[in-house]
PDB file of all heavy atoms in Angstrom:
ATOM      1  N   GLU A  11       0.840  -1.207   0.000  1.00 98.00           N
ATOM      2  CA  GLU A  11       0.000   0.000   0.000  1.00 98.00           C
ATOM      3  C   GLU A  11       0.871   1.251   0.000  1.00 98.00           C
ATOM      4  O   GLU A  11       0.516   2.254  -0.639  1.00 98.00           O
ATOM      5  CB  GLU A  11      -0.934  -0.004   1.220  1.00 98.00           C
ATOM      6  CG  GLU A  11      -1.907  -1.176   1.253  1.00 98.00           C
ATOM      7  CD  GLU A  11      -2.709  -1.283  -0.039  1.00 98.00           C
ATOM      8  OE1 GLU A  11      -3.225  -0.243  -0.507  1.00 98.00           O
ATOM      9  OE2 GLU A  11      -2.808  -2.398  -0.589  1.00 98.00           O
ATOM     10  N   ILE A  12       1.991   1.203   0.716  1.00 98.00           N
ATOM     11  CA  ILE A  12       2.936   2.324   0.677  1.00 98.00           C
ATOM     12  C   ILE A  12       3.419   2.532  -0.752  1.00 98.00           C
ATOM     13  O   ILE A  12       3.467   3.657  -1.258  1.00 98.00           O
ATOM     14  CB  ILE A  12       4.138   2.057   1.612  1.00 98.00           C
ATOM     15  CG1 ILE A  12       3.693   1.909   3.068  1.00 98.00           C
ATOM     16  CG2 ILE A  12       5.175   3.182   1.487  1.00 98.00           C
ATOM     17  CD1 ILE A  12       4.811   1.502   4.014  1.00 98.00           C
ATOM     18  N   ALA A  13       3.771   1.435  -1.412  1.00 98.00           N
ATOM     19  CA  ALA A  13       4.289   1.514  -2.777  1.00 98.00           C
ATOM     20  C   ALA A  13       3.287   2.182  -3.720  1.00 98.00           C
ATOM     21  O   ALA A  13       3.654   3.041  -4.538  1.00 98.00           O
ATOM     22  CB  ALA A  13       4.638   0.117  -3.280  1.00 98.00           C
ATOM     23  N   LYS A  14       2.030   1.786  -3.613  1.00 98.00           N
ATOM     24  CA  LYS A  14       1.008   2.370  -4.480  1.00 98.00           C
ATOM     25  C   LYS A  14       0.895   3.872  -4.268  1.00 98.00           C
ATOM     26  O   LYS A  14       0.815   4.646  -5.234  1.00 98.00           O
ATOM     27  CB  LYS A  14      -0.341   1.699  -4.210  1.00 98.00           C
ATOM     28  CG  LYS A  14      -0.417   0.242  -4.617  1.00 98.00           C
ATOM     29  CD  LYS A  14      -1.762  -0.366  -4.199  1.00 98.00           C
ATOM     30  CE  LYS A  14      -1.829  -1.847  -4.536  1.00 98.00           C
ATOM     31  NZ  LYS A  14      -3.093  -2.460  -4.047  1.00 98.00           N
ATOM     32  N   GLU A  15       0.924   4.290  -3.016  1.00 98.00           N
ATOM     33  CA  GLU A  15       0.732   5.712  -2.714  1.00 98.00           C
ATOM     34  C   GLU A  15       1.944   6.543  -3.097  1.00 98.00           C
ATOM     35  O   GLU A  15       1.803   7.626  -3.685  1.00 98.00           O
ATOM     36  CB  GLU A  15       0.417   5.893  -1.225  1.00 98.00           C
ATOM     37  CG  GLU A  15       0.048   7.311  -0.832  1.00 98.00           C
ATOM     38  CD  GLU A  15      -1.195   7.825  -1.530  1.00 98.00           C
ATOM     39  OE1 GLU A  15      -2.130   7.024  -1.779  1.00 98.00           O
ATOM     40  OE2 GLU A  15      -1.236   9.032  -1.841  1.00 98.00           O
ATOM     41  N   VAL A  16       3.143   6.071  -2.787  1.00 98.00           N
ATOM     42  CA  VAL A  16       4.333   6.895  -3.078  1.00 98.00           C
ATOM     43  C   VAL A  16       4.587   6.964  -4.583  1.00 98.00           C
ATOM     44  O   VAL A  16       5.103   7.971  -5.086  1.00 98.00           O
ATOM     45  CB  VAL A  16       5.585   6.416  -2.318  1.00 98.00           C
ATOM     46  CG1 VAL A  16       5.347   6.493  -0.812  1.00 98.00           C
ATOM     47  CG2 VAL A  16       6.036   5.023  -2.738  1.00 98.00           C
ATOM     48  N   LYS A  17       4.209   5.927  -5.309  1.00 98.00           N
ATOM     49  CA  LYS A  17       4.337   6.001  -6.763  1.00 98.00           C
ATOM     50  C   LYS A  17       3.413   7.089  -7.311  1.00 98.00           C
ATOM     51  O   LYS A  17       3.806   7.880  -8.183  1.00 98.00           O
ATOM     52  CB  LYS A  17       4.010   4.660  -7.416  1.00 98.00           C
ATOM     53  CG  LYS A  17       4.185   4.704  -8.929  1.00 98.00           C
ATOM     54  CD  LYS A  17       3.806   3.421  -9.609  1.00 98.00           C
ATOM     55  CE  LYS A  17       3.992   3.542 -11.120  1.00 98.00           C
ATOM     56  NZ  LYS A  17       3.579   2.313 -11.831  1.00 98.00           N
ATOM     57  N   LYS A  18       2.192   7.148  -6.804  1.00 98.00           N
ATOM     58  CA  LYS A  18       1.269   8.193  -7.234  1.00 98.00           C
ATOM     59  C   LYS A  18       1.825   9.578  -6.943  1.00 98.00           C
ATOM     60  O   LYS A  18       1.570  10.527  -7.683  1.00 98.00           O
ATOM     61  CB  LYS A  18      -0.088   8.039  -6.521  1.00 98.00           C
ATOM     62  CG  LYS A  18      -0.949   6.919  -7.039  1.00 98.00           C
ATOM     63  CD  LYS A  18      -2.386   7.044  -6.593  1.00 98.00           C
ATOM     64  CE  LYS A  18      -2.530   7.036  -5.092  1.00 98.00           C
ATOM     65  NZ  LYS A  18      -3.940   7.040  -4.648  1.00 98.00           N
ATOM     66  N   ARG A  19       2.595   9.681  -5.871  1.00 98.00           N
ATOM     67  CA  ARG A  19       3.142  10.983  -5.464  1.00 98.00           C
ATOM     68  C   ARG A  19       4.411  11.365  -6.231  1.00 98.00           C
ATOM     69  O   ARG A  19       4.902  12.480  -6.078  1.00 98.00           O
ATOM     70  CB  ARG A  19       3.443  10.968  -3.971  1.00 98.00           C
ATOM     71  CG  ARG A  19       2.243  10.683  -3.084  1.00 98.00           C
ATOM     72  CD  ARG A  19       1.269  11.841  -3.060  1.00 98.00           C
ATOM     73  NE  ARG A  19       0.135  11.563  -2.189  1.00 98.00           N
ATOM     74  CZ  ARG A  19      -0.447  12.466  -1.412  1.00 98.00           C
ATOM     75  NH1 ARG A  19       0.009  13.705  -1.391  1.00 98.00           N
ATOM     76  NH2 ARG A  19      -1.484  12.140  -0.656  1.00 98.00           N
ATOM     77  N   GLY A  20       4.970  10.430  -7.003  1.00 97.00           N
ATOM     78  CA  GLY A  20       6.117  10.779  -7.824  1.00 97.00           C
ATOM     79  C   GLY A  20       7.400  10.048  -7.499  1.00 97.00           C
ATOM     80  O   GLY A  20       8.440  10.338  -8.100  1.00 97.00           O
ATOM     81  N   ALA A  21       7.380   9.101  -6.554  1.00 97.00           N
ATOM     82  CA  ALA A  21       8.584   8.327  -6.256  1.00 97.00           C
ATOM     83  C   ALA A  21       8.951   7.453  -7.453  1.00 97.00           C
ATOM     84  O   ALA A  21       8.081   6.962  -8.172  1.00 97.00           O
ATOM     85  CB  ALA A  21       8.371   7.460  -5.014  1.00 97.00           C
ATOM     86  N   SER A  22      10.261   7.248  -7.650  1.00 94.00           N
ATOM     87  CA  SER A  22      10.751   6.480  -8.795  1.00 94.00           C
ATOM     88  C   SER A  22      11.240   5.088  -8.438  1.00 94.00           C
ATOM     89  O   SER A  22      11.387   4.240  -9.316  1.00 94.00           O
ATOM     90  CB  SER A  22      11.908   7.238  -9.468  1.00 94.00           C
ATOM     91  OG  SER A  22      11.509   8.486  -9.942  1.00 94.00           O
ATOM     92  N   LEU A  23      11.513   4.847  -7.156  1.00 94.00           N
ATOM     93  CA  LEU A  23      12.163   3.605  -6.743  1.00 94.00           C
ATOM     94  C   LEU A  23      11.846   3.350  -5.279  1.00 94.00           C
ATOM     95  O   LEU A  23      11.647   4.287  -4.503  1.00 94.00           O
ATOM     96  CB  LEU A  23      13.689   3.758  -6.924  1.00 94.00           C
ATOM     97  CG  LEU A  23      14.589   2.560  -6.652  1.00 94.00           C
ATOM     98  CD1 LEU A  23      14.408   1.503  -7.733  1.00 94.00           C
ATOM     99  CD2 LEU A  23      16.051   3.009  -6.620  1.00 94.00           C
ATOM    100  N   MET A  24      11.801   2.053  -4.902  1.00 96.00           N
ATOM    101  CA  MET A  24      11.657   1.704  -3.491  1.00 96.00           C
ATOM    102  C   MET A  24      12.769   0.763  -3.059  1.00 96.00           C
ATOM    103  O   MET A  24      13.327   0.016  -3.867  1.00 96.00           O
ATOM    104  CB  MET A  24      10.288   1.069  -3.203  1.00 96.00           C
ATOM    105  CG  MET A  24       9.201   2.097  -2.981  1.00 96.00           C
ATOM    106  SD  MET A  24       7.669   1.389  -2.294  1.00 96.00           S
ATOM    107  CE  MET A  24       8.146   1.017  -0.598  1.00 96.00           C
ATOM    108  N   ASN A  25      13.062   0.804  -1.784  1.00 94.00           N
ATOM    109  CA  ASN A  25      14.084  -0.036  -1.170  1.00 94.00           C
ATOM    110  C   ASN A  25      13.481  -0.618   0.102  1.00 94.00           C
ATOM    111  O   ASN A  25      13.130   0.135   1.019  1.00 94.00           O
ATOM    112  CB  ASN A  25      15.320   0.812  -0.862  1.00 94.00           C
ATOM    113  CG  ASN A  25      16.427   0.036  -0.192  1.00 94.00           C
ATOM    114  OD1 ASN A  25      16.505  -1.186  -0.293  1.00 94.00           O
ATOM    115  ND2 ASN A  25      17.303   0.740   0.507  1.00 94.00           N
ATOM    116  N   ILE A  26      13.299  -1.925   0.136  1.00 96.00           N
ATOM    117  CA  ILE A  26      12.719  -2.588   1.309  1.00 96.00           C
ATOM    118  C   ILE A  26      13.863  -3.085   2.184  1.00 96.00           C
ATOM    119  O   ILE A  26      14.678  -3.908   1.751  1.00 96.00           O
ATOM    120  CB  ILE A  26      11.816  -3.774   0.905  1.00 96.00           C
ATOM    121  CG1 ILE A  26      10.916  -3.399  -0.284  1.00 96.00           C
ATOM    122  CG2 ILE A  26      10.999  -4.242   2.100  1.00 96.00           C
ATOM    123  CD1 ILE A  26      10.023  -2.222  -0.054  1.00 96.00           C
ATOM    124  N   LEU A  27      13.924  -2.609   3.416  1.00 93.00           N
ATOM    125  CA  LEU A  27      15.014  -2.932   4.333  1.00 93.00           C
ATOM    126  C   LEU A  27      14.534  -3.851   5.446  1.00 93.00           C
ATOM    127  O   LEU A  27      13.427  -3.661   5.974  1.00 93.00           O
ATOM    128  CB  LEU A  27      15.570  -1.650   4.965  1.00 93.00           C
ATOM    129  CG  LEU A  27      16.081  -0.578   4.003  1.00 93.00           C
ATOM    130  CD1 LEU A  27      16.308   0.728   4.753  1.00 93.00           C
ATOM    131  CD2 LEU A  27      17.352  -1.047   3.348  1.00 93.00           C
ATOM    132  N   PRO A  28      15.336  -4.822   5.840  1.00 93.00           N
ATOM    133  CA  PRO A  28      14.942  -5.658   6.969  1.00 93.00           C
ATOM    134  C   PRO A  28      15.107  -4.927   8.290  1.00 93.00           C
ATOM    135  O   PRO A  28      16.081  -4.180   8.493  1.00 93.00           O
ATOM    136  CB  PRO A  28      15.920  -6.839   6.878  1.00 93.00           C
ATOM    137  CG  PRO A  28      17.135  -6.265   6.222  1.00 93.00           C
ATOM    138  CD  PRO A  28      16.632  -5.242   5.248  1.00 93.00           C
ATOM    139  N   LEU A  29      14.167  -5.106   9.174  1.00 94.00           N
ATOM    140  CA  LEU A  29      14.287  -4.550  10.521  1.00 94.00           C
ATOM    141  C   LEU A  29      15.564  -5.053  11.185  1.00 94.00           C
ATOM    142  O   LEU A  29      15.879  -6.244  11.136  1.00 94.00           O
ATOM    143  CB  LEU A  29      13.080  -4.980  11.366  1.00 94.00           C
ATOM    144  CG  LEU A  29      13.148  -4.628  12.868  1.00 94.00           C
ATOM    145  CD1 LEU A  29      12.938  -3.129  13.076  1.00 94.00           C
ATOM    146  CD2 LEU A  29      12.131  -5.444  13.655  1.00 94.00           C
ATOM    147  N   ILE A  30      16.309  -4.127  11.789  1.00 90.00           N
ATOM    148  CA  ILE A  30      17.394  -4.494  12.697  1.00 90.00           C
ATOM    149  C   ILE A  30      16.813  -4.356  14.100  1.00 90.00           C
ATOM    150  O   ILE A  30      16.543  -3.243  14.553  1.00 90.00           O
ATOM    151  CB  ILE A  30      18.618  -3.570  12.512  1.00 90.00           C
ATOM    152  CG1 ILE A  30      19.134  -3.653  11.082  1.00 90.00           C
ATOM    153  CG2 ILE A  30      19.713  -3.935  13.504  1.00 90.00           C
ATOM    154  CD1 ILE A  30      20.253  -2.672  10.767  1.00 90.00           C
ATOM    155  N   PRO A  31      16.549  -5.447  14.805  1.00 93.00           N
ATOM    156  CA  PRO A  31      15.835  -5.371  16.090  1.00 93.00           C
ATOM    157  C   PRO A  31      16.657  -4.662  17.176  1.00 93.00           C
ATOM    158  O   PRO A  31      17.603  -5.215  17.723  1.00 93.00           O
ATOM    159  CB  PRO A  31      15.588  -6.837  16.453  1.00 93.00           C
ATOM    160  CG  PRO A  31      15.688  -7.580  15.162  1.00 93.00           C
ATOM    161  CD  PRO A  31      16.749  -6.845  14.386  1.00 93.00           C
ATOM    162  N   LEU A  32      16.296  -3.432  17.453  1.00 89.00           N
ATOM    163  CA  LEU A  32      16.976  -2.609  18.449  1.00 89.00           C
ATOM    164  C   LEU A  32      15.947  -1.809  19.225  1.00 89.00           C
ATOM    165  O   LEU A  32      14.776  -1.735  18.862  1.00 89.00           O
ATOM    166  CB  LEU A  32      17.969  -1.648  17.772  1.00 89.00           C
ATOM    167  CG  LEU A  32      19.198  -2.243  17.081  1.00 89.00           C
ATOM    168  CD1 LEU A  32      19.884  -1.173  16.233  1.00 89.00           C
ATOM    169  CD2 LEU A  32      20.172  -2.822  18.097  1.00 89.00           C
ATOM    170  N   ASN A  33      16.398  -1.193  20.314  1.00 92.00           N
ATOM    171  CA  ASN A  33      15.594  -0.254  21.088  1.00 92.00           C
ATOM    172  C   ASN A  33      14.270  -0.900  21.514  1.00 92.00           C
ATOM    173  O   ASN A  33      14.258  -2.019  22.023  1.00 92.00           O
ATOM    174  CB  ASN A  33      15.388   1.024  20.264  1.00 92.00           C
ATOM    175  CG  ASN A  33      14.990   2.222  21.106  1.00 92.00           C
ATOM    176  OD1 ASN A  33      14.910   2.155  22.323  1.00 92.00           O
ATOM    177  ND2 ASN A  33      14.737   3.335  20.452  1.00 92.00           N
ATOM    178  N   LYS A  34      13.152  -0.228  21.298  1.00 95.00           N
ATOM    179  CA  LYS A  34      11.861  -0.764  21.709  1.00 95.00           C
ATOM    180  C   LYS A  34      11.435  -1.981  20.900  1.00 95.00           C
ATOM    181  O   LYS A  34      10.488  -2.677  21.288  1.00 95.00           O
ATOM    182  CB  LYS A  34      10.782   0.322  21.599  1.00 95.00           C
ATOM    183  CG  LYS A  34      10.924   1.459  22.610  1.00 95.00           C
ATOM    184  CD  LYS A  34       9.744   2.410  22.502  1.00 95.00           C
ATOM    185  CE  LYS A  34       9.799   3.490  23.552  1.00 95.00           C
ATOM    186  NZ  LYS A  34       8.613   4.397  23.501  1.00 95.00           N
ATOM    187  N   MET A  35      12.114  -2.219  19.790  1.00 96.00           N
ATOM    188  CA  MET A  35      11.772  -3.362  18.948  1.00 96.00           C
ATOM    189  C   MET A  35      12.846  -4.436  18.997  1.00 96.00           C
ATOM    190  O   MET A  35      12.943  -5.268  18.084  1.00 96.00           O
ATOM    191  CB  MET A  35      11.536  -2.899  17.505  1.00 96.00           C
ATOM    192  CG  MET A  35      10.276  -2.073  17.360  1.00 96.00           C
ATOM    193  SD  MET A  35       9.863  -1.736  15.625  1.00 96.00           S
ATOM    194  CE  MET A  35       8.178  -1.110  15.824  1.00 96.00           C
ATOM    195  N   LYS A  36      13.611  -4.454  20.068  1.00 95.00           N
ATOM    196  CA  LYS A  36      14.702  -5.435  20.184  1.00 95.00           C
ATOM    197  C   LYS A  36      14.187  -6.864  20.258  1.00 95.00           C
ATOM    198  O   LYS A  36      14.933  -7.805  19.955  1.00 95.00           O
ATOM    199  CB  LYS A  36      15.576  -5.122  21.399  1.00 95.00           C
ATOM    200  CG  LYS A  36      14.875  -5.175  22.736  1.00 95.00           C
ATOM    201  CD  LYS A  36      15.820  -4.791  23.858  1.00 95.00           C
ATOM    202  CE  LYS A  36      15.123  -4.712  25.202  1.00 95.00           C
ATOM    203  NZ  LYS A  36      14.469  -5.947  25.618  1.00 95.00           N
ATOM    204  N   ASP A  37      12.938  -7.059  20.656  1.00 95.00           N
ATOM    205  CA  ASP A  37      12.392  -8.413  20.763  1.00 95.00           C
ATOM    206  C   ASP A  37      11.618  -8.840  19.518  1.00 95.00           C
ATOM    207  O   ASP A  37      11.094  -9.950  19.458  1.00 95.00           O
ATOM    208  CB  ASP A  37      11.477  -8.515  21.991  1.00 95.00           C
ATOM    209  CG  ASP A  37      12.251  -8.343  23.290  1.00 95.00           C
ATOM    210  OD1 ASP A  37      13.420  -8.771  23.339  1.00 95.00           O
ATOM    211  OD2 ASP A  37      11.697  -7.766  24.245  1.00 95.00           O
ATOM    212  N   PHE A  38      11.551  -7.958  18.519  1.00 96.00           N
ATOM    213  CA  PHE A  38      10.907  -8.326  17.256  1.00 96.00           C
ATOM    214  C   PHE A  38      11.809  -9.278  16.476  1.00 96.00           C
ATOM    215  O   PHE A  38      13.029  -9.259  16.616  1.00 96.00           O
ATOM    216  CB  PHE A  38      10.641  -7.077  16.400  1.00 96.00           C
ATOM    217  CG  PHE A  38       9.351  -6.379  16.721  1.00 96.00           C
ATOM    218  CD1 PHE A  38       9.167  -5.745  17.937  1.00 96.00           C
ATOM    219  CD2 PHE A  38       8.315  -6.344  15.797  1.00 96.00           C
ATOM    220  CE1 PHE A  38       7.982  -5.092  18.236  1.00 96.00           C
ATOM    221  CE2 PHE A  38       7.126  -5.692  16.079  1.00 96.00           C
ATOM    222  CZ  PHE A  38       6.958  -5.075  17.299  1.00 96.00           C
ATOM    223  N   GLU A  39      11.199 -10.101  15.641  1.00 94.00           N
ATOM    224  CA  GLU A  39      11.963 -10.972  14.755  1.00 94.00           C
ATOM    225  C   GLU A  39      12.503 -10.177  13.584  1.00 94.00           C
ATOM    226  O   GLU A  39      11.810  -9.305  13.038  1.00 94.00           O
ATOM    227  CB  GLU A  39      11.078 -12.108  14.228  1.00 94.00           C
ATOM    228  CG  GLU A  39      10.635 -13.102  15.281  1.00 94.00           C
ATOM    229  CD  GLU A  39      11.777 -13.970  15.779  1.00 94.00           C
ATOM    230  OE1 GLU A  39      12.705 -14.256  14.983  1.00 94.00           O
ATOM    231  OE2 GLU A  39      11.751 -14.356  16.957  1.00 94.00           O
ATOM    232  N   ARG A  40      13.717 -10.458  13.189  1.00 94.00           N
ATOM    233  CA  ARG A  40      14.233  -9.908  11.939  1.00 94.00           C
ATOM    234  C   ARG A  40      13.591 -10.692  10.793  1.00 94.00           C
ATOM    235  O   ARG A  40      13.509 -11.924  10.857  1.00 94.00           O
ATOM    236  CB  ARG A  40      15.755 -10.045  11.882  1.00 94.00           C
ATOM    237  CG  ARG A  40      16.403  -9.381  10.666  1.00 94.00           C
ATOM    238  CD  ARG A  40      17.901  -9.632  10.657  1.00 94.00           C
ATOM    239  NE  ARG A  40      18.526  -9.055   9.469  1.00 94.00           N
ATOM    240  CZ  ARG A  40      19.193  -7.923   9.450  1.00 94.00           C
ATOM    241  NH1 ARG A  40      19.343  -7.231  10.575  1.00 94.00           N
ATOM    242  NH2 ARG A  40      19.742  -7.457   8.330  1.00 94.00           N
ATOM    243  N   PRO A  41      13.107 -10.020   9.753  1.00 95.00           N
ATOM    244  CA  PRO A  41      12.459 -10.762   8.656  1.00 95.00           C
ATOM    245  C   PRO A  41      13.436 -11.704   7.972  1.00 95.00           C
ATOM    246  O   PRO A  41      14.605 -11.362   7.762  1.00 95.00           O
ATOM    247  CB  PRO A  41      11.996  -9.654   7.710  1.00 95.00           C
ATOM    248  CG  PRO A  41      12.840  -8.470   8.050  1.00 95.00           C
ATOM    249  CD  PRO A  41      13.130  -8.574   9.505  1.00 95.00           C
ATOM    250  N   ASP A  42      12.957 -12.892   7.633  1.00 96.00           N
ATOM    251  CA  ASP A  42      13.838 -13.840   6.954  1.00 96.00           C
ATOM    252  C   ASP A  42      13.858 -13.546   5.456  1.00 96.00           C
ATOM    253  O   ASP A  42      13.123 -12.684   4.949  1.00 96.00           O
ATOM    254  CB  ASP A  42      13.418 -15.281   7.231  1.00 96.00           C
ATOM    255  CG  ASP A  42      11.998 -15.606   6.781  1.00 96.00           C
ATOM    256  OD1 ASP A  42      11.463 -14.883   5.908  1.00 96.00           O
ATOM    257  OD2 ASP A  42      11.430 -16.588   7.287  1.00 96.00           O
ATOM    258  N   CYS A  43      14.699 -14.255   4.743  1.00 93.00           N
ATOM    259  CA  CYS A  43      14.881 -14.009   3.302  1.00 93.00           C
ATOM    260  C   CYS A  43      13.594 -14.229   2.522  1.00 93.00           C
ATOM    261  O   CYS A  43      13.292 -13.499   1.569  1.00 93.00           O
ATOM    262  CB  CYS A  43      15.987 -14.898   2.752  1.00 93.00           C
ATOM    263  SG  CYS A  43      17.628 -14.478   3.351  1.00 93.00           S
ATOM    264  N   ALA A  44      12.822 -15.238   2.925  1.00 96.00           N
ATOM    265  CA  ALA A  44      11.586 -15.543   2.204  1.00 96.00           C
ATOM    266  C   ALA A  44      10.595 -14.388   2.311  1.00 96.00           C
ATOM    267  O   ALA A  44       9.957 -13.997   1.324  1.00 96.00           O
ATOM    268  CB  ALA A  44      10.966 -16.829   2.748  1.00 96.00           C
ATOM    269  N   MET A  45      10.453 -13.821   3.508  1.00 96.00           N
ATOM    270  CA  MET A  45       9.554 -12.691   3.694  1.00 96.00           C
ATOM    271  C   MET A  45      10.042 -11.478   2.911  1.00 96.00           C
ATOM    272  O   MET A  45       9.254 -10.779   2.259  1.00 96.00           O
ATOM    273  CB  MET A  45       9.414 -12.343   5.176  1.00 96.00           C
ATOM    274  CG  MET A  45       8.502 -11.139   5.438  1.00 96.00           C
ATOM    275  SD  MET A  45       8.335 -10.723   7.194  1.00 96.00           S
ATOM    276  CE  MET A  45       7.280 -12.059   7.747  1.00 96.00           C
ATOM    277  N   MET A  46      11.338 -11.211   2.960  1.00 95.00           N
ATOM    278  CA  MET A  46      11.895 -10.075   2.234  1.00 95.00           C
ATOM    279  C   MET A  46      11.628 -10.207   0.735  1.00 95.00           C
ATOM    280  O   MET A  46      11.185  -9.251   0.076  1.00 95.00           O
ATOM    281  CB  MET A  46      13.400  -9.979   2.481  1.00 95.00           C
ATOM    282  CG  MET A  46      13.789  -9.574   3.894  1.00 95.00           C
ATOM    283  SD  MET A  46      13.258  -7.898   4.337  1.00 95.00           S
ATOM    284  CE  MET A  46      14.097  -6.923   3.095  1.00 95.00           C
ATOM    285  N   GLU A  47      11.873 -11.389   0.186  1.00 95.00           N
ATOM    286  CA  GLU A  47      11.696 -11.581  -1.252  1.00 95.00           C
ATOM    287  C   GLU A  47      10.224 -11.485  -1.643  1.00 95.00           C
ATOM    288  O   GLU A  47       9.894 -10.936  -2.697  1.00 95.00           O
ATOM    289  CB  GLU A  47      12.286 -12.923  -1.679  1.00 95.00           C
ATOM    290  CG  GLU A  47      13.804 -12.939  -1.693  1.00 95.00           C
ATOM    291  CD  GLU A  47      14.383 -11.809  -2.525  1.00 95.00           C
ATOM    292  OE1 GLU A  47      14.085 -11.729  -3.730  1.00 95.00           O
ATOM    293  OE2 GLU A  47      15.118 -10.976  -1.952  1.00 95.00           O
ATOM    294  N   LYS A  48       9.354 -12.020  -0.806  1.00 97.00           N
ATOM    295  CA  LYS A  48       7.918 -11.960  -1.096  1.00 97.00           C
ATOM    296  C   LYS A  48       7.449 -10.509  -1.193  1.00 97.00           C
ATOM    297  O   LYS A  48       6.765 -10.130  -2.147  1.00 97.00           O
ATOM    298  CB  LYS A  48       7.138 -12.694  -0.003  1.00 97.00           C
ATOM    299  CG  LYS A  48       5.620 -12.606  -0.146  1.00 97.00           C
ATOM    300  CD  LYS A  48       4.934 -13.395   0.957  1.00 97.00           C
ATOM    301  CE  LYS A  48       3.407 -13.318   0.838  1.00 97.00           C
ATOM    302  NZ  LYS A  48       2.899 -11.950   1.119  1.00 97.00           N
ATOM    303  N   VAL A  49       7.829  -9.701  -0.200  1.00 97.00           N
ATOM    304  CA  VAL A  49       7.396  -8.301  -0.198  1.00 97.00           C
ATOM    305  C   VAL A  49       8.035  -7.539  -1.354  1.00 97.00           C
ATOM    306  O   VAL A  49       7.372  -6.756  -2.046  1.00 97.00           O
ATOM    307  CB  VAL A  49       7.722  -7.635   1.155  1.00 97.00           C
ATOM    308  CG1 VAL A  49       7.408  -6.143   1.107  1.00 97.00           C
ATOM    309  CG2 VAL A  49       6.929  -8.298   2.282  1.00 97.00           C
ATOM    310  N   ARG A  50       9.311  -7.775  -1.598  1.00 96.00           N
ATOM    311  CA  ARG A  50       9.973  -7.087  -2.714  1.00 96.00           C
ATOM    312  C   ARG A  50       9.324  -7.444  -4.050  1.00 96.00           C
ATOM    313  O   ARG A  50       9.136  -6.576  -4.912  1.00 96.00           O
ATOM    314  CB  ARG A  50      11.456  -7.446  -2.726  1.00 96.00           C
ATOM    315  CG  ARG A  50      12.261  -6.734  -1.650  1.00 96.00           C
ATOM    316  CD  ARG A  50      13.662  -7.288  -1.534  1.00 96.00           C
ATOM    317  NE  ARG A  50      14.498  -6.467  -0.658  1.00 96.00           N
ATOM    318  CZ  ARG A  50      15.644  -6.870  -0.124  1.00 96.00           C
ATOM    319  NH1 ARG A  50      16.100  -8.103  -0.360  1.00 96.00           N
ATOM    320  NH2 ARG A  50      16.342  -6.058   0.651  1.00 96.00           N
ATOM    321  N   ASP A  51       8.988  -8.714  -4.225  1.00 96.00           N
ATOM    322  CA  ASP A  51       8.346  -9.135  -5.469  1.00 96.00           C
ATOM    323  C   ASP A  51       6.985  -8.469  -5.640  1.00 96.00           C
ATOM    324  O   ASP A  51       6.617  -8.046  -6.748  1.00 96.00           O
ATOM    325  CB  ASP A  51       8.187 -10.656  -5.505  1.00 96.00           C
ATOM    326  CG  ASP A  51       9.512 -11.385  -5.707  1.00 96.00           C
ATOM    327  OD1 ASP A  51      10.508 -10.730  -6.079  1.00 96.00           O
ATOM    328  OD2 ASP A  51       9.548 -12.607  -5.463  1.00 96.00           O
ATOM    329  N   GLU A  52       6.231  -8.366  -4.553  1.00 97.00           N
ATOM    330  CA  GLU A  52       4.916  -7.725  -4.616  1.00 97.00           C
ATOM    331  C   GLU A  52       5.050  -6.244  -4.948  1.00 97.00           C
ATOM    332  O   GLU A  52       4.295  -5.708  -5.758  1.00 97.00           O
ATOM    333  CB  GLU A  52       4.190  -7.909  -3.284  1.00 97.00           C
ATOM    334  CG  GLU A  52       3.769  -9.353  -3.013  1.00 97.00           C
ATOM    335  CD  GLU A  52       3.266  -9.557  -1.592  1.00 97.00           C
ATOM    336  OE1 GLU A  52       3.439  -8.639  -0.744  1.00 97.00           O
ATOM    337  OE2 GLU A  52       2.704 -10.638  -1.316  1.00 97.00           O
TER     338      GLU A  52
END
């Protein structure tokens, strides 16, 4: 949904970054390769 909106606004490229679990999100899981590729492909 972010991709759809920012493209409409004039963005030319997106970069999907994996969470580095730090600070208040230190207990979150880092996304695995499969999740990263799925989202990037979409």
Side-chain angles (χ1 to χ4, degrees):
E11 298 307 313
I12 299 174
K14 293 175 183 176
E15 186 61 35
V16 299
K17 182 183 179 182
K18 285 196 300 185
R19 301 289 181 142
S22 299
L23 184 71
M24 276 192 72
N25 179 22
I26 316 302
L27 303 168
L29 172 73
I30 301 174
L32 293 168
N33 199 3
K34 291 185 176 183
M35 291 189 167
K36 62 182 175 58
D37 294 326
F38 275 67
E39 293 290 328
R40 185 183 177 101
D42 60 21
C43 292
M45 179 180 286
M46 291 295 301
E47 287 306 301
K48 176 178 180 292
V49 174
R50 284 170 171 163
D51 288 346
E52 291 170 349

